[in-house]
């Protein structure tokens, strides 16, 4: 049977959307170990680390191994919609010794690696060491790219919030991921055969991830709230090279608008678009207004910023392969 979470009215009332730089840090380290996806980011990180390697003697063995899962206390549920790395690591350091030892035993059984043994022996000191390593990894590998990552995450959150407002729980969960299904108050994840803990779960935290795998990962309620980490919309296109726009499309729309359609496969603000395309923000705004009127671009507000993105109709003009790549 698939992992099935039974959500009460109180659980649904406590469900929220949140992003976490710590989540991206952990996903990035695991992606770096596995290679494959997010090749542009992996190549950039590999070059960075070749010059100055990171010391991850505590953290790496806990995240990268041949076991089916990893210690979930390493990623506390985000406490608010946009938690900081310091807030997340403070929550990690507050994990109790009992929770640390239970989680390590659940993952590694009776044959833990040396780092897990040291952490179990001295949880408080070990958590401080792990937190320091994760902070260093964030500062080196995530912070320089955070503006780009955050734009994709914020656009996904805005999209999910709209789906939630328009269609309730069904609207929120239906297209979250093909592996997830929602029916009669139950959220099921295909391919995950863990048994859900009984009793109320205190609401879900839905957290999009850019650098993670193309599947949903459910962090059950062990140390903090149950968290559903899922691929952010558009993450597949973030590290692809901007393609030259086809001549027919350029003749139809003009070069600036055609290039905007291509660039906005990844969400971006007017200011960011002006920097990428080397034109003034006012010029970008004029072209965006025309593209929006034609239904080729849409905009969603994230705080004080409006993030623009090419619509399905616009992606269709760029070609079927582009349309498929940009929705994952």
């Amino acid at each position: 049977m698939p992992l099935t979470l039974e959500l009460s009215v109180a659980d649904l009332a406590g469900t929220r959307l949140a992003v976490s730089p710590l989540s991206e840090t952990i996903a990035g380290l695991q992606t770096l170990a596995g290679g494959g996806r997010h090749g542009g980011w992996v190549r950039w990180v590999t070059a960075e680390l070749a010059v100055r390697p990171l010391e991850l003697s505590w953290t790496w063995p806990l995240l990268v191994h041949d076991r089916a899962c990893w210690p979930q206390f390493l990623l506390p549920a985000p406490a608010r919609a946009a938690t900081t790395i310091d807030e997340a690591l403070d929550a990690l350091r507050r994990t109790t010794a009992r929770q640390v030892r239970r989680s390590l035993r659940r993952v590694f059984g009776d044959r833990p690696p040396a780092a897990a043994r040291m952490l179990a022996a001295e949880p408080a000191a070990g958590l401080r060491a792990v937190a320091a390593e994760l902070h260093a990894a964030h500062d080196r590998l995530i912070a320089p790219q955070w503006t780009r990552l955050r734009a994709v995450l914020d656009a996904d959150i805005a999209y999910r919030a709209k789906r939630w407002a328009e269609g309730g729980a069904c609207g929120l969960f239906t297209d979250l991921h093909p592996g997830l299904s929602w029916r009669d108050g139950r959220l099921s994840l295909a391919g995950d055969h863990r048994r859900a803990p009984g009793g109320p779960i205190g609401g879900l935290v839905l957290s999009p991830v850019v650098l993670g795998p193309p599947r949903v990962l459910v962090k059950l309620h062990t140390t903090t709230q149950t968290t559903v980490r899922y691929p952010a919309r558009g993450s597949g296109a973030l590290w692809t090279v901007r393609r030259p726009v086809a001549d027919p499309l350029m003749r139809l729309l003009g070069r600036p608008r055609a290039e905007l359609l291509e660039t906005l496969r990844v969400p971006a603000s007017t200011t960011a678009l002006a920097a990428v395309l080397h034109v003034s923000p006012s010029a970008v705004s004029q072209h965006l207004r025309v593209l929006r009127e034609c239904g080729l671009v849409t905009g969603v507000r994230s705080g004080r910023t409006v993030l623009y993105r090419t619509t399905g109709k616009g992606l269709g003009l760029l070609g079927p392969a582009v349309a498929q790549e940009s929705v994952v």
Side-chain angles (χ1 to χ4, degrees), residues 226-252:
T226 296
T227 306
V228 179
R229 299 167 72 221
Y230 62 90
R233 296 174 77 246
S235 57
L238 181 57
W239 310 108
T240 58
V241 176
R242 191 153 52 95
R243 295 177 173 89
V245 180
D247 285 341
L249 184 59
M250 205 137 24
R251 290 197 298 272
L252 176 67

Side-chain angles (χ1 to χ4, degrees), residues 16 183 212 291:
R16 54 196 176 86
R183 185 176 181 181
L291 292 172

Side-chain angles (χ1 to χ4, degrees), residues 19 102 109 123 139 154 169 196 217 234 241-242 280 304 308:
V19 302
R102 284 181 61 184
D139 291 350
D154 283 350
L217 302 171
V241 176
R242 191 153 52 95
S280 69
R304 298 181 179 180
Y308 296 94

Side-chain angles (χ1 to χ4, degrees), residues 35-36 72 90 100 123 155 170 175 207 213 227 235 237 248 260 272 286 295-296 323-324:
Q72 297 191 351
D90 283 344
V100 168
C170 186
D175 75 337
S207 186
T227 306
S235 57
L260 275 173
Q286 291 173 17
L296 301 179
Q324 177 62 30

Side-chain angles (χ1 to χ4, degrees), residues 166-178:
E166 293 176 345
C170 186
L172 174 64
F173 293 125
T174 295
D175 75 337
L176 198 69
H177 190 271

